[in-house]
Amino acid sequence: MTTSSIRTRRVPTKRLTVQIDEVRDEGEPVVFVHGNVSSSAFWRTTLPLLPERYRPIAPDLRGFGGTEPLPIDATRGLRDHVDDLAALLAALGIDRVHLVGWSMGGGVVLQYLRDHPATVRSVTLVNPVSPYGFGGTHGPDGTLNSEDGAGSGGGTANPEFVARLAKGDRSEDSALSPRSVLATCYVKPPLRPEHEDEYVTSMLTTRTGDDHYPGDSVASPAWPGVAPGTRGVLNCLSPLRFRLDDLHLIDPKPPVLWIRGEDDVIVSDTSMFDLAHLGSIGAVPGWDGTLAQPMVAQTRHVLDRYAAEGGTVREVAVPGAGHAVHLERPEVFGAALLEVLSA
């Protein structure tokens, strides 16, 4: 089966109209949730690989792809996306589901699990954002660097990258063009994805501005001088808004697969997107010694607690792969996914 077998349609729900990619109408539902600055297109080579026992579905989150671009209330963390997903599943008549989340989508999936544990058959996390958000924390338990969340949120995005997204730049004439970021950060060089043009197109569907990407921000007296606002994508990922301290308390506890590329430069203990780490290597001026966020260690801390309370967790670290392990090592990813789906 090839990507030509994928159907795309728009589904009205009680919250908004959601665009989805799907393959068939029958089978155990498996929902694939994409990451930031992307869309369901990043799952199009994965969906056809699932056996007929499963019904793969990949929605576009609000503000990405073809889904209705309603504003994002960041004060709710990732719950706008979680509630959108719940509304989609209700519209499709689905009551229990396997969830697969990549990057920011991993955070959406974890929050969904936290809020609706009885409806989840299994969880697969693909290079997921830390359960303590993105930026602004230190230590495995996600201790805030500053009470106002400084170092996270909408003000941490690179303005040139945002501007190039907004104007639909498809070039490779800057390290900050979407195509260059895809080639150097989404995957590990020298790999160039087979469907690169489609992925660039997907990235360019990202709505920009205060209500979407990157979101608004406020000044902070703490380094690096910016703290999260209340609207948009990066603010809903701030540790002030998204924080899962109690995941280990949910019941029931479906099995969790955590699969990641070992050479990921986005979600990492030394992330090239974390201003504190960039400051420590001299790439951001005025660094005051603020500690970098150990993103992988934080995820391991939360999942270890989940396992200690009776959950089943499997971690698969893939050598030589970056942030999009499902594109870079599809055979390894597919085998691990099928194992947790059939657990």
Side-chain angles (χ1 to χ4, degrees), residues 124-262:
T124 297
L125 305 172
V126 187
N127 298 81
V129 65
S130 164
Y132 300 125
F134 198 97
T137 67
H138 65 274
D141 59 352
T143 301
L144 285 172
N145 293 337
S146 173
E147 289 185 0
D148 63 0
S152 69
T156 65
N158 187 288
E160 182 180 341
F161 177 65
V162 177
R164 286 174 176 269
L165 272 180
K167 73 176 185 179
D169 177 19
R170 304 183 65 89
S171 75
E172 201 171 353
D173 63 1
S174 165
L176 292 168
S177 74
R179 186 180 299 272
S180 294
V181 171
L182 171 67
T184 60
C185 300
Y186 282 36
V187 297
K188 182 184 178 181
L191 175 70
R192 300 298 289 252
E194 179 182 354
H195 302 283
E196 181 175 291
D197 287 344
E198 288 86 345
Y199 298 143
V200 172
T201 298
S202 167
M203 296 172 73
L204 294 176
T205 67
T206 302
R207 274 63 167 190
T208 57
D210 286 350
D211 284 325
H212 295 291
Y213 182 84
D216 62 345
S217 65
V218 297
S220 171
W223 188 90
V226 291
T230 60
R231 300 150 60 196
V233 176
L234 294 188
N235 293 313
C236 71
L237 289 170
S238 164
L240 284 187
R241 319 295 188 197
F242 172 62
R243 184 178 185 88
L244 293 174
D245 280 317
D246 58 354
L247 189 69
H248 59 291
L249 299 179
I250 66 167
D251 182 47
K253 292 183 175 67
V256 175
L257 165 67
W258 174 25
I259 183 167
R260 60 184 179 84
E262 288 187 344

Side-chain angles (χ1 to χ4, degrees), residues 21-45:
D21 284 344
E22 59 187 349
V23 174
R24 62 185 71 90
D25 298 325
E26 303 295 331
E28 291 180 22
V30 184
V31 174
F32 294 81
V33 184
H34 66 80
N36 199 6
V37 191
S38 65
S39 73
S40 61
F42 278 81
W43 294 117
R44 289 178 68 85
T45 58

Side-chain angles (χ1 to χ4, degrees), residues 257-270:
L257 165 67
W258 174 25
I259 183 167
R260 60 184 179 84
E262 288 187 344
D263 296 324
D264 189 352
V265 299
I266 297 178
V267 175
S268 166
D269 289 353
T270 53

Side-chain angles (χ1 to χ4, degrees), residues 30 32 43 45-51 54 100 124-126 257 259-260 314 316 318 324-342:
V30 184
F32 294 81
W43 294 117
T45 58
T46 302
L47 303 188
L49 300 179
L50 265 64
Y54 301 104
V100 183
T124 297
L125 305 172
V126 187
L257 165 67
I259 183 167
R260 60 184 179 84
R314 180 188 179 201
V316 178
V318 183
V325 67
H326 60 295
L327 302 182
E328 299 169 84
R329 299 290 188 274
E331 299 85 0
V332 176
F333 170 72
L337 174 62
L338 289 178
E339 184 174 323
V340 75
L341 292 181
S342 61

